[in-house]
Amino acid sequence: MEAELEPSNDMEEEETSRTGASEGMSKKSLKKLAAKDRRKTIKQAKQAEAAADRAARAARAGALVVYGAHKSVPIPWDLLTDEGRYDPIDVTADPLVTPKVERELVKDLYNAIAPHWHGTRYKPWPRVAAFLTSLPRGCLVADVGCGNGKNIPAVQDNGGLAIGIDISSNLANICANMGFEVAVADSLLLPFRSETFDAAMSIAVLHHISSVPRRGR
């Protein structure tokens, strides 16, 4: 009968070494998993916050507009009649008072969609650019309804100075953050004296003005 072999000290040490290494690897793996879980939790929280922010902006925009939310389009006539959301246009009203329909469907709307709008407008239309480059160098130019200021660099490239004016404070802030001179104002209530500017432009603005008397101004 063969005698049973007892484990040597070397075998015990090797087994202990393997066990210790396994425990060490387990702790390291657990730390990695914990760090991964933390990163995943932070990422999910940021995604949820961004989704909530997008939903809130969409809700605001949805409440403000029922037509082409991300396009520069006229205010539909059916919104300006008895059957629409707003009272009929009062042709006797003071054209220098911004009416409710413009405050909500122009000012508030563009404040709500300013970041998206900014991302889709980045250079002047060809005819606008041709007009601006035709001006004498050093001109002072008013950009009434400047939006995100996409036309202003063309003035600067021609050695001129442009001042942008927009009813949307959020679009005006975008201009200011890019280093442009800008003011927040209704296009019919400009905070400048007559004959201040050498030239002026007002691109895609007239259709946002809701009445003939105001357009006549």
Side-chain angles (χ1 to χ4, degrees):
M1 184 173 179
E2 296 182 359
E4 293 183 1
L5 294 176
E6 294 184 2
S8 67
N9 289 337
D10 291 342
M11 293 176 64
E12 289 178 354
E13 289 175 0
E14 183 179 351
E15 182 66 27
T16 302
S17 176
R18 283 201 301 268
T19 303
S22 176
E23 289 176 354
M25 289 179 64
S26 297
K27 290 179 180 178
K28 190 174 182 181
S29 298
L30 287 172
K31 287 182 179 179
K32 286 184 177 180
L33 287 173
K36 185 177 181 181
D37 287 341
R38 284 196 298 273
R39 289 194 298 269
K40 184 177 180 181
T41 301
I42 292 171
K43 183 178 179 181
Q44 289 175 338
K46 288 182 177 178
Q47 289 174 338
E49 183 179 355
D53 181 60
R54 288 194 300 271
R57 281 187 287 156
R60 289 196 300 269
L64 293 171
V65 67
V66 293
Y67 67 98
H70 299 312
K71 295 180 67 178
S72 180
V73 296
I75 298 171
W77 182 252
D78 59 356
L79 291 182
L80 308 179
T81 63
D82 290 320
E83 292 78 21
R85 284 179 55 191
Y86 299 91
D87 294 333
I89 297 296
D90 181 2
V91 296
T92 65
D94 185 350
L96 297 182
V97 176
T98 306
K100 179 182 178 183
V101 64
E102 290 178 31
R103 291 197 305 271
E104 292 193 3
L105 295 186
V106 181
K107 179 181 179 180
D108 293 348
L109 166 64
Y110 279 94
N111 277 338
I113 68 169
H116 172 89
W117 199 91
H118 175 50
T120 61
R121 275 76 173 177
Y122 55 90
K123 65 179 181 179
W125 296 339
R127 290 188 179 182
V128 175
F131 165 71
L132 295 176
T133 56
S134 72
L135 297 174
R137 293 184 63 81
C139 277
L140 179 61
V141 181
D143 187 355
V144 183
C146 63
N148 65 340
K150 68 173 185 176
N151 298 317
I152 293 178
V155 178
Q156 297 174 332
D157 292 344
N158 197 42
L161 172 64
I163 297 180
I165 304 99
D166 205 280
I167 198 170
S168 165
S169 58
N170 288 352
L171 286 174
N173 284 335
I174 289 172
C175 291
N177 289 336
M178 293 191 291
F180 301 151
E181 296 290 338
V182 65
V184 178
D186 188 316
S187 60
L188 274 68
L189 295 168
L190 301 181
F192 305 103
R193 295 176 180 175
S194 298
E195 301 182 4
T196 296
F197 297 94
D198 300 304
M201 57 181 163
S202 187
I203 310 301
V205 172
L206 190 62
H207 62 273
H208 291 314
I209 300 175
S210 59
S211 70
V212 173
R214 281 176 58 75
R215 293 181 183 184
R217 290 287 300 188

